[in-house]
Amino acid sequence: MKNSFKLIFSIAIAFLTVFPGKGQNNFEPGATWPASDGKHINVHGGGILFYHGRYYWFGEHRLPKNTEKVQTDGVGCYSSKDLYHWKYEGVSLMIPNDTTSLLTPGCVVERPKVIYNKKTGKFVMWFHHELKGQGYKAAMTGVAVSNKITGPYRYIHSLRPNAGQWPLNYSKEQQSDTLTERSLKKWSPEWKEAVKNGLFLRRDFEGGQMARDMTLFVDDNGKAYHIHSSEENQTLHFSELTDDYLGFSGLYIRVLPGDANEAPAIFKKEGKYYMFSSGTTGWAPNPGRSAMSSDILGNWVPLGNPCRGNEKNVKTTFASQSTHVLQINGTENFIYMGDRWKPEELIDSRHIWLPVEWEDGLPVIKWYDKWNLSIFSYEK
Ligand code: DGJ
């Protein structure tokens, strides 16, 4: 009897290891989230693309600590039909063992996002790219393309966007300002004012604008935008991509100049555009931010911290940093996706998914230990 109980117990454990999470139709923000391979979902700073009935989650595929000081081997991918259970699809963009390429082991690949181009039938991936051995100095964006959603993606190149182009919302007078960094003390009120007025924008005009934390957004008319922290992380740039999504059209705007936003995530509801973002405190969480505009390349108005709840949660965005807002297919319901970073072991960073709720017509986020999609049934 004892032995048969042991046998049943072992079979049950084996089953749960092979099919973890089966039957668990809940999100548990901050818990480990095993995929079909039994391992915690290893895509961070990521985003989700819905395609032909499945959700595809792309993100930083992190390596275990101290893997010869290489933190990532590329961009990982998982897929799901129901958002609760995820199948590991492998590494979609593999960093090649090629020392002649900018994409080489030891470089930084962060916050990758993938979009689908209906005209070309291709999947286009953009990611924040820092060069090997240069910390976060290069501030570039990389692009890769594939005929198949899960990859393999072919790396095209990395660049600094919009070289030789002025933003649409930067006046002729501002363009001809001759003030430079040399005469200013960093972080002084004068420095801040100069930064707000485009000190770094003008400095980088010829070589191209800095691009760090990034996301992509495809509008209903098929136009796509690359949104990134620029100007030493002090100002966001919203840049239109070319029709094939592989390059920059040259049209762009500065958003919230001098407000130091990172981690942008864009979504659209009833014709209005919304953004969640964070402040700039490295891997440590900080108070979330939100903003709104009636035109993607228009006037973005700050809406304040979207987090609701106790002080600790509001001050730390539930100990997370935004990465994407997922629109649930066929609905106007949205999920906030954030990363609870573990800088000492990035592979174990946790996923914070919470429903986007609406308060006086504005998006807010509240904490739930456990929740599921039925929360949206009251708003359709
Ligand atoms: C904050 C960014 O949002 C992250 O993606 C990462 O680049 C860290 N900084 C690195 O400190």
Side-chain angles (χ1 to χ4, degrees):
M1 186 64 184
K2 244 187 178 176
N3 278 347
S4 57
F5 177 74
K6 258 188 188 168
L7 184 69
I8 292 169
F9 186 70
S10 321
I11 292 172
I13 292 291
F15 182 83
L16 283 174
T17 316
V18 180
F19 303 106
K22 274 270 179 298
Q24 290 175 14
N25 290 341
N26 284 304
F27 303 111
E28 276 190 61
T32 50
W33 192 348
S36 56
D37 59 354
K39 296 187 189 145
H40 177 55
I41 294 173
N42 183 13
V43 278
H44 310 279
I48 291 182
L49 174 63
F50 183 78
Y51 181 71
H52 283 185
R54 283 188 89 79
Y55 294 92
Y56 291 84
W57 186 0
F58 296 88
E60 301 157 18
H61 192 256
R62 294 292 186 173
L63 296 173
K65 191 152 101 192
N66 295 332
T67 316
E68 291 162 25
K69 294 207 174 132
V70 177
Q71 289 193 334
T72 178
D73 59 356
V75 177
C77 176
Y78 292 77
S79 76
S80 171
K81 259 188 174 316
D82 64 6
L83 295 173
Y84 303 113
H85 304 99
W86 291 87
K87 175 174 173 249
Y88 179 53
E89 299 280 1
V91 179
S92 295
L93 173 71
M94 186 63 93
I95 298 179
N97 234 330
D98 176 0
T99 49
T100 65
S101 171
L102 293 185
L103 193 67
T104 192
C107 74
V108 170
V109 169
E110 287 181 353
R111 298 188 173 270
K113 307 288 177 307
V114 174
I115 50 180
Y116 176 61
N117 190 303
K118 283 188 189 149
K119 282 189 192 150
T120 63
K122 297 203 187 294
F123 299 91
V124 181
M125 176 189 290
W126 286 87
F127 55 92
H128 172 197
H129 189 191
E130 296 290 347
L131 305 185
K132 184 185 174 187
Q134 296 189 24
Y136 281 82
K137 213 173 122 232
M140 294 172 113
T141 184
V143 58
V145 67
S146 175
N147 291 323
K148 204 176 147 219
I149 188 161
T150 50
Y153 282 75
R154 180 175 59 83
Y155 173 57
I156 303 176
H157 65 168
S158 298
L159 71 158
R160 280 213 173 172
N162 297 314
Q165 305 285 344
W166 291 115
L168 295 170
N169 57 353
Y170 200 63
S171 69
K172 281 259 175 313
E173 196 192 339
Q174 287 174 303
Q175 291 167 24
S176 53
D177 192 335
T178 54
L179 190 63
T180 66
E181 277 161 87
R182 253 167 292 152
S183 56
L184 298 161
K185 190 161 172 272
K186 202 168 175 188
W187 305 117
S188 65
E190 299 74 35
W191 181 90
K192 282 193 182 163
E193 194 53 27
V195 168
K196 194 173 168 179
N197 290 330
L199 184 73
F200 299 126
L201 176 86
R202 295 192 303 274
R203 180 195 68 188
D204 294 335
F205 177 72
E206 268 171 37
Q209 298 297 327
M210 298 176 91
R212 290 205 182 109
D213 279 14
M214 58 81 54
T215 193
L216 301 174
F217 177 78
V218 182
D219 211 340
D220 305 328
N221 60 5
K223 285 258 174 237
Y225 300 85
H226 185 289
I227 293 113
H228 59 270
S229 291
S230 192
E231 303 181 37
E232 303 287 355
N233 292 354
Q234 300 304 302
T235 296
L236 288 166
H237 287 185
F238 280 51
S239 303
E240 189 190 78
L241 292 175
T242 49
D243 284 349
D244 60 7
Y245 301 169
L246 297 174
F248 289 85
S249 76
L251 290 187
Y252 72 113
I253 57 163
R254 301 175 79 220
V255 168
L256 305 174
D259 280 0
N261 281 280
E262 276 191 337
I266 311 294
F267 55 111
K268 186 179 184 183
K269 184 171 167 146
E270 288 161 11
K272 292 223 164 25
Y273 302 84
Y274 297 89
M275 173 170 66
F276 289 148
S277 62
S278 75
T280 53
T281 50
W283 298 113
N286 54 56
R289 297 154 176 214
S290 59
M292 176 183 158
S293 177
S294 48
D295 180 350
I296 184 93
L297 295 185
N299 182 29
W300 283 83
V301 179
L303 299 174
N305 190 333
C307 303
R308 299 287 180 272
N310 67 39
E311 197 186 339
K312 195 167 164 221
N313 278 343
V314 172
K315 275 193 170 158
T316 65
T317 316
F318 315 100
S320 75
Q321 187 183 27
S322 42
T323 182
H324 186 68
V325 174
L326 170 66
Q327 176 161 16
I328 299 168
N329 178 48
T331 75
E332 288 234 319
N333 297 320
F334 301 86
I335 297 177
Y336 162 86
M337 290 169 54
D339 298 284
R340 182 173 289 172
W341 295 114
K342 289 202 184 178
E344 69 293 345
E345 186 67 313
L346 285 164
I347 190 172
D348 192 38
S349 299
R350 300 299 167 84
H351 308 293
I352 306 298
W353 285 28
L354 291 166
V356 174
E357 300 181 74
W358 297 85
E359 212 176 78
D360 301 327
L362 301 179
V364 296
I365 318 167
K366 295 176 194 162
W367 180 258
Y368 294 90
D369 290 336
K370 209 183 228 193
W371 66 282
N372 60 44
L373 296 173
S374 69
I375 201 166
F376 294 120
S377 54
Y378 63 90
E379 10 176 319
K380 269 274 178 286

